[in-house]
Amino acid sequence: MTATVETVEGSRVWSHPETGLYAVLDAGGAVRLGRPGQDWTRLVPLVEVTATGHGRMWSGERFIETAIGERLIYQGHETVRHDGVDRTTIRLTDPGTGLAAHVTLETRAGSGCLRARVRLVNEGDAVLRLESVSTLALGGIVGGEGGLDDLTLHWADNDWLAECRWRQDGFRKRVVALSRSAHGHEGRGCFERYSQGSWSTGRHLPVAGLTDADGRAWLWQIESSAGWRFETGEREGAAYVALFGPDDAHHQWWHTLAPGEEFHTVPAVVVHTETGGLDAAFGELTDHRRSIRRDHPDHRALPVIYNDYMNTLMGDPTTERLLPLIEAAGAAGAEVFVIDAGWYDDDAQGWWDAVGAWEPAPRRFPGGLPEVLDAIRAHGMTPGLWLEPEVVGVRSPLARTLPPEAFFRRGGLRVTEHGRHHLDLRHPAARAHLDGVVDRLVGEWGVGYLKLDYNINIGPGTENGSESAGAGLLGHHRAHLDWMASLLDRHPGLVLENCGSGGLRMDYAQLAVAQLQSTSDQQDLLRYPPIAAAAATAVAPEQAAVWAYPQPDHTPDEIALTLTGALLGRVHLSGFLNLMSPEQSGLVRSAVSVYKELRPELGRARPFWPLGLPGWEDEWVAHGLRSRGATFLVVCRREPDNGGAVPAPGGPVRNGSGDTDRTLAVPHLHGARVEPTVLYPPTSDAVVEWDADAGRLTVSLPRGNTAVLIRLDPVAARSWT
């Protein structure tokens, strides 16, 4: 059933059955978003806006109950349907300032997702200085019989080498009950998470949710690389959620809106499911992520990628070192070979603060870099290169030849961070420089894959003229997305990997354009499993690049462990494959072969977590993908030692029991006759048993620090071996 526009007793102007949400006119003509059967006083205005001189009705940490938001009055709406998407635009106006808000709500038939964005237009006769604008605000969320006591809050911390660390707590432990009836007011606080600077996921993921004990879930995502914030709290005995792009308090963002000018918010999405908890909600969100991204053949081909960096050349490539790796990667079944950082390094003082021109280093490649690229093609692989396009080293000649306006500046001074300046891609000289670089690498040299890295946090942004730093960052961010899209327009077969020191810019503003996302720079094979398992909370599985770095000094179990973790994402091989024994090489080839057999399922499968979202120090970690054809599970056991510690270099692991068996819930196969098969590794001693009545799989891993890939086939529907 699709979204409908209707009028019920003059109050309801929009509804969407799959999410259970509707937009209602309150007694004063304001529009509020909530669920049927609720008192409108529990709901928040559809749009919340703070502007200088127009703050909040109740002062505190919350960005709801704003003066402008309370004054915005309904003016009309219309719905347009295109390519299966219903877009309803609700028009609101503030009679006090003349500010008009055009709220677009996007829905798809059969989907539990609601995507929103807001266009503000100054139709008044005075300048407005915006300080915060919500993309989506809704209220009236309650749990089961326990009300707010029944709600659990879920959010993810993020850091370099430690991405996608999900946490949970009772809503009431984070939003304290304050006896509103005794005070006549709501509290002043809320639970909030936000980005800081130009690493959009340097602190947290822009994804979080609420669940209740009956399996209902609310999940949200903000699609921004240039500042975001969400808050949730209590209003009139119910929970509310408000989603924002950048704001003044957290991101030094303010935007001057002169009469006749307009401003567009970043998009955000809310998912609601009645059953299935977080697994069901993340399934819906995964479908949404696929629906908004740019179409590209890579999403269907899913080639195996070898990258020379991780635990291998580590930014020190040469022709002599690369040629044996190229031959070994091709023999292992890789289809793309990426020369990572260092290919341009010909500076005696090091390359970090001298980058920018992106010319190959002659001393590294005596026969020229094209000779190495030709060798990659000769072994049946697409050549790729690492690039960090947005930065220019302080010692690079470009730091002097490009105009000052082409760089980030604050207070009239050029910004420097970790030996680099930052390009502002709104400036034509900056963009022309990077267009020339990419057209040379791709158009002249035939490079088919670019890993676009980003290794500095430049802070709040750039002040171009009178704009705020946060507004400058948002402007650059939008120009950066446009630049990436223009590369794909000119070079349709080019594949772009988004990397920000691993997963520090892992958002769906960029992933709607880029084909892949680096998930981490984590080099410890015992620390990667929880990152790989949780990656699908942030990224569609077929976009999640997971390192697999087997080494000739690894045991067979260690080789299998690092390879297995990547098999339900995008395999990023590394390691000295050229130095492996025949038996070790066989383990690598076997993993690649299994991946190539199952990858047709990845782009249409939904993720789930049979042990719950993984903890950073959990002994047992599991994640799965379910498609129409089959269900796949990766199960990893990290061995406890001396009362619960993974042997060095992994560090301590919680819940270290030493148990060799673990039972996993697979509710979507409850009652089905299932044939479980261990697909990888062939050397595994794992034992798997299916209990159809309970919908549970018991996995036995007799040795610690091992992992397996399991396929669960409903017997009547078995279609792959």
Side-chain angles (χ1 to χ4, degrees), residues 245-276:
D247 64 64
D248 190 15
H250 301 86
H251 309 97
Q252 297 184 32
W253 177 92
W254 50 263
H255 184 86
T256 300
L257 203 63
E261 292 183 342
E262 60 183 52
F263 170 75
H264 296 250
T265 67
V266 301
V269 63
V270 166
V271 177
H272 177 60
T273 54
E274 282 291 322
T275 60

Side-chain angles (χ1 to χ4, degrees), residues 226-249:
W228 58 265
R229 176 181 172 273
F230 68 76
E231 68 175 73
T232 181
E234 181 178 1
R235 177 184 167 91
E236 298 288 348
Y240 75 88
V241 173
L243 311 179
F244 300 84
D247 64 64
D248 190 15

Side-chain angles (χ1 to χ4, degrees), residues 80-106:
V80 176
R81 178 172 296 176
H82 180 69
D83 288 341
V85 179
D86 284 355
R87 293 182 176 88
T88 298
T89 300
I90 300 174
R91 301 185 306 278
L92 310 167
T93 300
D94 171 22
T97 62
L99 182 67
H102 301 256
V103 185
T104 299
L105 305 176
E106 297 181 3

Side-chain angles (χ1 to χ4, degrees), residues 15 64 69 167 181-182 206 216 221 271 338 341 384 489 583 592 607 666 679 705:
S15 66
I64 64 165
R167 302 178 63 188
S181 59
R216 300 181 190 91
Q221 167 179 284
V271 177
V338 179
D489 290 340
E583 293 77 14
V592 171
V666 191
L679 297 181
N705 299 330

Side-chain angles (χ1 to χ4, degrees), residues 32 74 79 88 110-111 138 176 201 260 276 290 372 434 451 529 556 559 570 666 670 704:
R32 300 173 187 268
Y74 172 76
T79 298
T88 298
S111 170
L138 61 95
V176 180
T201 55
R290 290 167 175 154
V372 180
L434 290 183
K451 177 179 177 178
I559 290 174
R570 290 298 297 275
V666 191
H670 186 275

Side-chain angles (χ1 to χ4, degrees), residues 581-700:
S581 69
E583 293 77 14
Q584 292 174 322
S585 296
L587 273 176
V588 177
R589 289 195 303 272
S590 174
V592 171
S593 177
V594 167
Y595 178 78
K596 290 179 178 179
E597 291 288 343
L598 68 84
R599 66 183 170 187
E601 304 278 1
L602 294 185
R604 55 178 178 260
R606 286 181 163 192
F608 69 101
W609 294 267
L611 296 176
L613 293 176
W616 182 243
E617 295 172 344
D618 286 352
E619 178 186 354
W620 287 81
V621 176
H623 68 291
L625 293 178
R626 52 177 297 194
S627 70
R628 293 179 181 178
T631 294
F632 300 93
L633 278 170
V634 166
V635 183
C636 170
R637 176 188 164 211
R638 298 187 289 177
E639 183 170 26
D641 181 39
N642 296 327
V646 165
V653 167
R654 250 194 346 257
N655 304 326
S657 63
D659 292 340
T660 60
D661 297 351
R662 188 54 53 101
T663 299
L664 297 77
V666 191
H668 67 274
L669 293 177
H670 186 275
R673 292 181 58 209
V674 169
E675 181 176 328
T677 306
V678 175
L679 297 181
Y680 187 81
T683 57
S684 171
D685 293 330
V687 177
V688 291
E689 296 181 0
W690 174 249
D691 183 342
D693 293 335
R696 295 181 179 275
L697 179 75
T698 299
V699 179
S700 175

Side-chain angles (χ1 to χ4, degrees), residues 373-617:
L373 302 180
D374 287 342
I376 293 170
R377 280 185 285 267
H379 284 84
M381 296 178 288
T382 298
L385 288 176
W386 180 96
L387 201 65
E388 195 170 358
E390 293 167 81
V391 302
V392 170
V394 296
R395 293 192 299 110
S396 170
L398 285 160
R400 297 180 294 277
T401 58
L402 287 173
E405 297 80 12
F407 296 95
F408 273 37
R409 295 172 298 161
R410 292 197 290 271
L413 303 175
R414 186 182 299 188
V415 179
T416 303
E417 176 70 11
H418 198 180
R420 274 101 175 273
H421 303 308
H422 197 293
L423 292 173
D424 186 340
L425 285 183
R426 295 174 295 177
H427 195 280
R431 183 153 174 166
H433 158 62
L434 290 183
D435 281 344
V437 169
V438 173
D439 290 345
R440 169 166 47 87
L441 302 183
V442 178
E444 297 179 22
W445 295 357
V447 170
Y449 185 108
L450 289 176
K451 177 179 177 178
L452 303 181
D453 210 341
Y454 185 71
N455 287 303
I456 61 171
N457 187 333
I458 201 61
T462 179
E463 299 165 347
N464 187 358
S466 61
E467 72 180 353
S468 66
L473 183 61
L474 180 59
H476 163 76
H477 150 67
R478 287 171 166 166
H480 180 227
L481 297 179
D482 183 72
W483 174 72
M484 288 198 299
S486 74
L487 300 184
L488 298 172
D489 290 340
R490 293 200 306 278
H491 308 287
L494 178 65
V495 175
L496 300 179
E497 176 188 342
N498 185 49
C499 180
S501 275
L504 302 187
R505 214 158 53 157
M506 192 157 41
D507 62 76
Y508 261 85
Q510 304 223 60
L511 285 170
V513 183
Q515 285 67 62
L516 291 94
Q517 171 66 51
S518 173
T519 56
S520 187
D521 282 348
Q522 176 57 251
Q523 293 178 250
D524 182 347
L525 61 85
L526 294 179
R527 280 300 185 195
Y528 215 131
I531 300 172
T537 63
V539 184
E542 66 275 17
Q543 291 181 275
V546 178
W547 289 105
Y549 30 65
Q551 301 293 353
D553 60 350
H554 281 174
T555 67
D557 281 348
E558 288 172 327
I559 290 174
L561 175 65
T562 186
L563 289 163
T564 303
L567 294 179
L568 295 186
R570 290 298 297 275
V571 175
H572 261 50
L573 279 175
S574 198
F576 290 102
L577 306 185
N578 56 310
L579 302 179
M580 287 186 162
S581 69
E583 293 77 14
Q584 292 174 322
S585 296
L587 273 176
V588 177
R589 289 195 303 272
S590 174
V592 171
S593 177
V594 167
Y595 178 78
K596 290 179 178 179
E597 291 288 343
L598 68 84
R599 66 183 170 187
E601 304 278 1
L602 294 185
R604 55 178 178 260
R606 286 181 163 192
F608 69 101
W609 294 267
L611 296 176
L613 293 176
W616 182 243
E617 295 172 344

